[in-house]
Every structure is written in C-alpha cells, then in structure tokens.
Amino acid sequence: VRVTQAKKLLRLGMPIPQAALETGFVDQSHLTRHFKRQVGVTPGQYALDSKNVQDRSARSFYTHSRG
C-alpha cells in the first residue's frame, strides 16, 4: 500500500525523499529497498520513466493537434 501511494506521488513529481516521508518510510533508502523489491526499479528510475512518458504524451498531443 505504501509503495503504491509512493508511485502516485512520484508520478505527480514529488521529490523522492518527501514521497518517502509522506508514505511512512523512515527515509529515502528505506523506500528504495521496498520499492525496488516490489516494482523492480528504483524510485528514481520510476520517476524518470514516468516523466518521460508524460513528455512523450504531451509531444504527441501537440504534434497531432496542429494538423
């Protein structure tokens, strides 16, 4: 449950240390251990991938909406 909530916060752009504290982890490394075990990537990799997907979606929207 905490990792799922951390994923949501990271997708919204929250910094990893803040997401860790907001979701009840003692610190960033505590979140990272649990996150990587459950998700398969570190929170940093996940946040970067989420940002890249959002950037691609925005580019695709603007490219297609211009005609």
Side-chain angles (χ1 to χ4, degrees):
V1 175
R2 293 186 298 167
V3 170
T4 301
Q5 184 62 29
K7 286 169 63 175
K8 291 177 187 175
L9 296 175
L10 293 171
R11 280 194 306 267
L12 293 173
M14 182 177 285
I16 299 166
Q18 184 178 351
L21 296 176
E22 292 284 331
T23 53
F25 291 96
V26 176
D27 56 21
Q28 181 175 341
S29 64
H30 187 209
L31 168 62
T32 298
R33 280 194 308 276
H34 288 271
F35 197 99
K36 187 163 184 178
R37 189 179 313 138
Q38 291 183 31
V39 181
V41 296
T42 66
Q45 291 166 326
Y46 181 84
L48 183 59
D49 289 346
S50 294
K51 182 183 182 316
N52 288 338
V53 167
Q54 291 171 0
D55 289 347
R56 284 194 300 270
S57 295
R59 278 196 302 269
S60 177
F61 172 78
Y62 288 117
T63 301
H64 294 302
S65 66
R66 290 184 183 187

